[in-house]
Amino acid sequence: MRPRSEEPGFRDFDLPGVAPSRQKRSRETTLALLRAGADMLRARSLAELSIEALCAEVGATVGAFYSRFESKEAYFNALMALATRDGEQRLGEIRRPSPGAGLDKLCQVIVSSIIAWMRNHEGVLRAALQHDDTRPDKWTPFKALAKATTMRATPLLLPAMGKGRKAAKTRTIAFGFQVVLGTLVNAILNDPGPLQLRSKEMEARLAGCLLLLLQAEMGHSTPR
């Protein structure tokens, strides 16, 4: 997987509710506002994120903000859209690390990619989760992305699980990702411990958990 920037690029600004701009300085201001908001949401809720504080952070005026974003809601939607696009791109880049890679290595690569994406957009994801009850439609893109992750990973994992019982193995893979994603969502939203999202051990534990679930399914005998 090639190295990537952690920040949205100018190509990403074709977003609903975001005024397009052809001037480099104006695009740079838009980028700065998006970058600053994503960073500020790591330490505060969306309700606590004031437009005035956001603008002060990047040296822009409130008028400059509203000339680019129709509303605070549109601004947050843009942050979510950028996070979703990044997730889709990462998903498309997941490849088998080598022709002979074992199931353990595959689990590690896939889980590490998911966690890297969540770490990169932690504040935006938390804000979306916190608003899921009142605005359930706003979490829908991430739900779809989670489903797409399972669909993308399944053809990578199935060959490493051996022949036979394809339907059962496919269902186990889906459940494995439900466990992985559920644990990560809980870590983002509640941080109950003992492991945090940014802990390297979280990656190893979740990859190991997924591996054990798949190996348990592999251990079931094929009905005659």
Side-chain angles (χ1 to χ4, degrees), residues 108-130:
Q108 178 186 339
V109 167
I110 294 168
V111 169
S112 293
S113 178
I114 294 171
I115 291 179
W117 172 69
M118 287 194 164
R119 286 171 177 165
N120 197 27
H121 303 283
E122 182 179 358
V124 176
L125 294 175
R126 182 183 300 110
L129 282 164
Q130 289 170 338

Side-chain angles (χ1 to χ4, degrees), residues 87-199:
E88 291 169 346
Q89 184 176 343
R90 289 175 185 270
L91 185 58
E93 292 173 352
I94 295 177
R95 299 286 187 274
R96 183 180 293 275
S98 64
L103 191 59
D104 57 341
K105 182 62 175 178
L106 289 169
C107 289
Q108 178 186 339
V109 167
I110 294 168
V111 169
S112 293
S113 178
I114 294 171
I115 291 179
W117 172 69
M118 287 194 164
R119 286 171 177 165
N120 197 27
H121 303 283
E122 182 179 358
V124 176
L125 294 175
R126 182 183 300 110
L129 282 164
Q130 289 170 338
H131 285 70
D132 196 23
D133 291 338
T134 57
R135 305 186 308 174
D137 59 308
K138 298 306 178 186
W139 187 242
T140 300
F142 296 122
K143 289 181 179 178
L145 191 60
K147 183 177 180 179
T149 300
T150 303
M151 294 179 64
R152 171 64 182 160
T154 298
L156 295 175
L157 294 169
L158 270 178
M161 294 177 69
K163 296 181 179 180
R165 308 184 69 254
K166 181 178 178 180
K169 290 173 181 175
T170 298
R171 187 164 180 81
T172 300
I173 291 172
F175 175 68
F177 280 105
Q178 182 178 354
V179 171
V180 169
L181 294 170
T183 300
L184 292 172
V185 164
N186 190 34
I188 289 175
L189 189 57
N190 301 312
D191 193 18
L195 302 182
Q196 297 180 318
L197 182 66
R198 295 196 168 272
S199 168

Side-chain angles (χ1 to χ4, degrees), residues 44-105:
R44 67 192 74 185
S45 69
L46 181 62
E48 294 169 336
L49 178 64
S50 74
I51 304 304
E52 291 78 7
L54 174 64
C55 292
E57 184 71 18
V58 301
T61 65
V62 173
F65 176 91
Y66 284 108
S67 70
R68 289 164 173 80
F69 305 98
E70 295 175 355
S71 61
K72 185 178 180 180
E73 177 84 2
Y75 173 76
F76 183 58
N77 288 343
L79 287 175
M80 287 187 60
L82 290 175
T84 302
R85 290 182 184 184
D86 182 44
E88 291 169 346
Q89 184 176 343
R90 289 175 185 270
L91 185 58
E93 292 173 352
I94 295 177
R95 299 286 187 274
R96 183 180 293 275
S98 64
L103 191 59
D104 57 341
K105 182 62 175 178

Side-chain angles (χ1 to χ4, degrees), residues 103 161 165 168-169 172 208-221:
L103 191 59
M161 294 177 69
R165 308 184 69 254
K169 290 173 181 175
T172 300
C209 180
L210 179 60
L211 176 63
L212 288 173
L213 282 169
L214 302 186
Q215 287 177 331
E217 182 60 47
M218 291 165 60
H220 293 168
S221 59

